[in-house]
Amino acid sequence: QVQLVESGGGLVQPGGSLRLSCAASGSIFRTNAMGWYRQAPGKQRELVAGITSGGSTNYADSVKGRFTISGDNAKNTVYLQMNNLKPEDTGVYYCNLKFVAVVHGPLYNYWGKGTQVTVSS
């Protein structure tokens, strides 16, 4: 069993900041990557930012320069610092974990339950 515990969502005014956290635990032999996706009402889920176990990062063009993803390998935790938030950043933010459960085992793709981020005045 694997658990993803997300926290940090909420309501913020435009220009404000929020920090999301996602802690993974359970039957994880190796974490390959973690990331954050978001889904706005009526839209498809999209990648916001990702980070590999080696520290490589990637971002959606819409958040570059405003959002920063970081990770703590020892704690199997990923963070998303969101600055200068805009109304279009509103949505449910989902943590994603790509991991291997056993040596030479398959790669699994696991999702958190999501945390709501609302940017509104």
Side-chain angles (χ1 to χ4, degrees):
Q1 289 283 7
V2 171
Q3 297 82 37
L4 291 178
V5 178
E6 301 154 319
S7 61
L11 172 64
V12 64
Q13 292 186 344
S17 298
L18 285 174
R19 188 186 192 221
L20 305 183
S21 299
C22 175
S25 62
S27 302
I28 300 170
F29 170 71
R30 183 184 72 245
T31 295
N32 281 31
M34 295 185 75
W36 290 95
Y37 289 69
R38 69 186 178 194
Q39 187 166 18
K43 294 188 176 181
Q44 289 189 330
R45 190 174 299 187
E46 61 176 358
L47 172 70
V48 176
I51 185 169
T52 69
S53 58
S56 297
T57 59
N58 63 303
Y59 296 91
D61 287 343
S62 60
V63 307
K64 285 179 180 177
R66 300 188 297 122
F67 291 10
T68 302
I69 191 169
S70 59
D72 185 333
N73 287 341
K75 296 181 179 180
N76 250 347
T77 299
V78 65
Y79 307 95
L80 185 67
Q81 178 65 44
M82 304 185 293
N83 298 328
N84 190 22
L85 282 158
K86 303 176 180 180
E88 52 263 42
D89 294 318
T90 295
V92 179
Y93 283 66
Y94 295 92
C95 180
N96 177 259
L97 169 70
K98 293 179 174 55
F99 72 100
V100 175
V102 296
V103 177
H104 304 307
L107 182 68
Y108 290 102
N109 196 33
Y110 196 79
W111 294 93
K113 294 181 179 181
T115 184
Q116 177 70 42
V117 171
T118 302
V119 185
S120 174
S121 55

